[in-house]
Amino acid sequence: MEAQNQQLIDSVRFNCNLADARHAGNYTMCIYLLKMREFFRWEAGYELTDSLPREEIGRWLGEREALWESLDDEEFRPLRVEGRSFDPFAAHDINQRLLDHNLVYGAGIGPGGRPLFFLADLEQVEIHSDYRILVCGREYARDLTAPAAMAQGQTIYVRSQSLRRMLWEKIEQWRWSRADNAMGKAIACYDFETDEVTSLDQMAERETQSVIWHEIGEVMVTEQVGPAWAERILALPRCRAELQMRAVRDNLADCLSTLPRLISDGHEASLHFYFGSLDGFRRELSPTLVNAYDGWCHHGDLGALETVVAAGADHWLALIREVLTLPGVDGQPDASAIEELISSKVL
């Protein structure tokens, strides 16, 4: 299987590079450079705490951009597994053949219609109720985006390397200001000042559960509203309405699954981390939730937060159903109408 594995790794890496070539330009320059820096760290094998050599990064960046330019006329390659050829998006069929070899493959469509691919070691398989959780370890192929988790049907992928990297980036960002905010409170629950490695391990273990609960929440959203919401998002160009729709889905998923579990299990560190990570439209649309969190921090009473979360589950579901009734324009979703409606439904 080793020769086949290398062929598979090469094919997945090719598809990752092609996805990056087509979509890396969608980032702002600042975000692009930050993502490329961390992509280099992963590919070159540097630890999260290592300083990176600037000259080496510069050479690598030029080489990678030249590689992307050479892929202008290419198409995604099929993947060969056990002598059979598969569409690169047929993750379920591919994994039926890979999991016995302790490998896991992921493929999907992210924000802005961006294809996502990865290939990793399979560390663990967990069953949560009706959901199968595939916990991924070392990654052999990935693209620039590399989300920490994603759900497809009843299967949830958790990418441990990506999760640790995301956590470390948030810790480093907080250290620039050391503000007395939710992220600072989350970090204070660990001993990062004297033992970064152990503290990061502990945080990653806790936040793995949080991302699992969020992905379960996303599956629950699909179960309640069907595929129409995801289809509507994919039909939109990259715009405010698309980002708002993603935020509404995330907020509903968290009110259905993530936040009830964090509250009932008493995960103070994870609650702080959740609100420290709540940003963009997710935060803009949820001022009452943020106020309830602030109240808990000051008074130690989770009652108000529980009430807002329960109300949020009804509110966001009703909003999704209302958006889905909006008429389209020339066969496409009306982005202006969607933006106006969602903006008027702040909770």
Side-chain angles (χ1 to χ4, degrees):
M1 187 74 180
E2 287 187 9
Q4 295 180 36
N5 282 354
Q6 189 57 55
Q7 181 185 41
L8 177 62
I9 290 169
D10 292 342
S11 295
V12 178
R13 285 178 177 172
F14 177 88
N15 289 341
C16 289
N17 280 322
L18 183 53
D20 289 337
R22 293 178 176 179
H23 295 275
N26 295 341
Y27 296 113
T28 64
M29 181 56 69
C30 180
I31 297 298
Y32 171 75
L33 292 175
L34 286 172
K35 284 187 172 293
M36 290 298 282
R37 178 176 178 270
E38 293 310 310
F39 195 14
F40 168 81
R41 182 191 299 278
W42 167 79
E43 191 167 284
Y46 286 97
E47 297 295 331
L48 292 172
T49 54
D50 289 341
S51 297
L52 299 179
R54 291 186 179 181
E55 290 187 7
E56 191 176 343
I57 293 177
R59 287 194 300 271
W60 175 86
L61 181 60
E63 292 168 358
R64 185 51 49 93
E65 290 178 340
L67 171 62
W68 290 346
E69 289 179 7
S70 73
L71 300 176
D72 282 348
D73 299 323
E74 297 287 350
E75 298 296 333
F76 292 118
R77 290 178 178 173
L79 304 182
R80 291 194 64 79
V81 181
E82 295 183 345
R84 291 187 56 186
S85 182
F86 294 90
D87 183 284
F89 291 97
H92 175 76
D93 294 336
I94 292 170
N95 279 324
Q96 283 188 316
R97 290 154 178 82
L98 287 183
L99 295 182
D100 287 342
H101 300 284
N102 292 319
L103 290 172
V104 59
Y105 172 71
I109 302 295
R114 189 200 199 288
L116 305 170
F117 306 105
F118 74 89
L119 181 69
D121 283 331
L122 177 64
E123 275 194 350
Q124 189 175 354
V125 179
E126 301 178 12
I127 303 298
H128 284 237
S129 185
D130 296 328
Y131 307 99
R132 181 176 66 162
I133 317 298
L134 303 180
V135 181
C136 310
R138 175 189 175 189
E139 296 188 354
Y140 298 100
R142 51 155 284 198
D143 47 42
L144 191 57
T145 304
M150 65 180 186
Q152 291 181 331
Q154 302 297 109
T155 299
I156 294 170
Y157 302 84
V158 178
R159 300 172 62 177
S160 298
Q161 283 191 335
S162 295
L163 176 61
R164 288 174 63 86
R165 185 166 50 252
M166 180 269 287
L167 296 175
W168 185 250
E169 288 172 4
K170 290 185 179 296
I171 292 164
E172 285 196 313
Q173 289 169 8
W174 176 82
R175 282 175 168 171
W176 294 342
S177 64
R178 295 185 177 269
D180 181 18
N181 55 17
M183 187 57 66
K185 290 179 173 64
I187 292 170
C189 293
Y190 305 91
D191 188 20
F192 277 100
E193 294 304 316
T194 58
D195 192 345
E196 290 181 335
V197 174
T198 300
S199 296
L200 183 60
D201 288 342
Q202 292 170 344
M203 178 180 275
E205 183 177 356
R206 285 189 178 179
E207 296 314 315
T208 293
Q209 294 304 311
S210 296
V211 299
I212 288 172
W213 292 329
H214 175 79
E215 296 302 324
I216 288 175
E218 291 215 4
V219 176
M220 293 170 68
V221 172
T222 301
E223 290 173 345
Q224 294 198 28
V225 303
W229 191 253
E231 291 169 355
R232 191 72 58 93
I233 289 174
L234 290 176
L236 284 168
R238 187 72 168 171
C239 60
R240 284 177 60 88
E242 186 225 6
L243 297 176
Q244 286 179 320
M245 289 182 70
R246 291 184 182 278
V248 169
R249 180 178 61 189
D250 284 339
N251 286 351
L252 177 55
D254 289 335
C255 287
L256 290 173
S257 177
T258 318
L259 287 167
R261 288 300 300 265
L262 293 180
I263 292 170
S264 66
D265 291 352
H267 284 276
E268 290 192 12
S270 290
L271 271 172
H272 290 309
F273 187 86
Y274 176 88
F275 284 94
S277 302
L278 190 68
D279 57 10
F281 285 118
R282 292 168 61 222
R283 191 179 194 91
E284 184 178 313
L285 294 170
S286 306
T288 306
L289 184 68
V290 175
N291 290 338
Y293 163 76
D294 290 338
W296 169 62
C297 290
H298 286 100
H299 307 296
D301 181 10
L302 284 169
L305 189 57
E306 288 181 290
T307 299
V308 174
V309 168
D314 294 332
H315 174 84
W316 301 121
L317 179 58
L319 177 56
I320 285 176
R321 288 173 171 161
E322 189 173 356
V323 170
L324 290 175
T325 66
L326 293 174
V329 176
D330 297 328
Q332 297 297 319
D334 186 341
S336 296
I338 292 171
E339 181 182 338
E340 181 179 356
L341 177 57
I342 292 178
S343 297
S344 71
K345 298 291 186 176
V346 170
L347 177 63

